[in-house]
Amino acid sequence: MTVPRSDFANPDLASPFAVAMTDMRRGAIALVEGALRRGDVALAFQPIMRAHGKGPAFYEGLVRLFDEAGRLIPARDFIMEV
């Protein structure tokens, strides 16, 4: 007897939203290339605080990339490829 395989066991297929997000992650490199070509890039600076709490030790600069709709492209979707 075989047990029917359910796609709902796969969290990437659990809902229409999850499927859309999985598809978006698969095309992340193309999204990154498009964002760079269009100039949809911003810098974000965040303070790295000193252990003793007397102000920031330095500021870390982070690059933010945006898709065509203006949504942030999560770095987790492309950082390993870059």
Side-chain angles (χ1 to χ4, degrees), residues 21-33 73 77-78:
M21 293 307 294
T22 298
D23 287 346
M24 191 172 91
R25 279 194 298 272
R26 286 186 187 133
I29 295 303
L31 288 173
V32 168
E33 289 172 348
I73 303 170
D77 294 347
F78 65 84

Side-chain angles (χ1 to χ4, degrees), residues 14-65:
S15 70
F17 179 75
V19 171
M21 293 307 294
T22 298
D23 287 346
M24 191 172 91
R25 279 194 298 272
R26 286 186 187 133
I29 295 303
L31 288 173
V32 168
E33 289 172 348
L36 292 173
R37 262 190 243 105
R38 289 187 310 276
D40 288 339
V41 180
L43 288 176
F45 293 96
Q46 68 183 29
I48 305 301
M49 302 305 288
R50 299 176 191 271
H52 54 72
K54 300 275 187 197
F58 60 92
Y59 289 86
E60 176 180 48
L62 306 168
V63 174
R64 301 289 188 213
L65 303 172

